[in-house]
Amino acid sequence: EADIYQTPRYLVIGTGKKITLECSQTMGHDKMYWYQQDPGMELHLIHYSYGVNSTEKGDLSSESTVSRIRTEHFPLTLESARPSHTSQYLCASQGEGLGNTIYFGEGSWLTVV
Amino acid sequence: EDKVVQSPLSLVVHEGDTVTLNCSYEVTNFRSLLWYKQEKKAPTFLFMLTSSGIEKKSGRLSSILDKKELFSILNITATQTGDSAVYLCAVADGSSNTGKLIFGQGTTLQVKP
């Protein structure tokens, strides 16, 4: 069982608020990812990190930002939330020993009203 | 543009039936193909396939990859209601060190009692 945790699991916030979605993993993985998934739709990569102080934009443009100050922690921040940001955000991490298997957190469901 | 296409998009069967889910891909730098099962939360890992013709099995689930024809199938025998989920196929992009995943749109399987 992979140990990767996301908080909050569910959040409803007002337009214009700042929100940070937390993601932590206890497996010592260097590679971490954020995916965005609208209901019934595909997962899209929005951010990834190779390790501490490394962050890159993913395939889908996102107004969110990320940071990687510690190996185990990869938070995602929206400075000013809008209804278009309503979605599920999935954090994932990837180790070396198991090839390309990527382990996902349980997801954060964000609703912006 | 790299893409992964799954079929069918949705499927309704009765308990005890056998189902076959399809995944075809066009990815410039193929590293591996992965199958995930997604219920109401995050995707959970099922199989990783890297070599053609080698079947992977886990209980009632099995999967095989054809790298010449660029597709994979996921078989589920003697289906149960607990198999109801979205099944995601993803290809790991080998063009970078991150092993980024390109996801298909998923197949929604509903197993009726």
Side-chain angles (χ1 to χ4, degrees), chain A residues 3 9 15 28 54 68 71 94:
Chain A
D3 295 319
R9 291 290 316 282
T15 298
S54 152
R68 190 85 184 275
T71 298
Q94 181 183 26

Side-chain angles (χ1 to χ4, degrees), chain B residues 84-106:
Chain B
S84 296
V86 176
Y87 290 83
L88 295 166
C89 173
V91 172
D93 177 4
S95 62
S96 71
N97 192 35
T98 64
K100 289 187 295 181
L101 295 182
I102 303 158
F103 282 91
Q105 52 292 53

Side-chain angles (χ1 to χ4, degrees), chain A residues 30-32 48-52 54-56 68, chain B residues 96-98:
Chain A
D30 284 330
K31 298 168 190 171
M32 295 189 73
Y48 61 96
S49 168
Y50 300 143
V52 171
S54 152
T55 61
E56 302 284 346
R68 190 85 184 275
Chain B
S96 71
N97 192 35
T98 64

Side-chain angles (χ1 to χ4, degrees), chain B residues 11-30:
Chain B
L11 191 57
V12 181
V13 301
H14 288 91
E15 276 192 314
D17 289 348
T18 293
V19 298
T20 298
L21 309 183
N22 303 292
C23 175
S24 64
Y25 62 90
E26 294 176 24
V27 175
T28 306
N29 284 288
F30 174 92

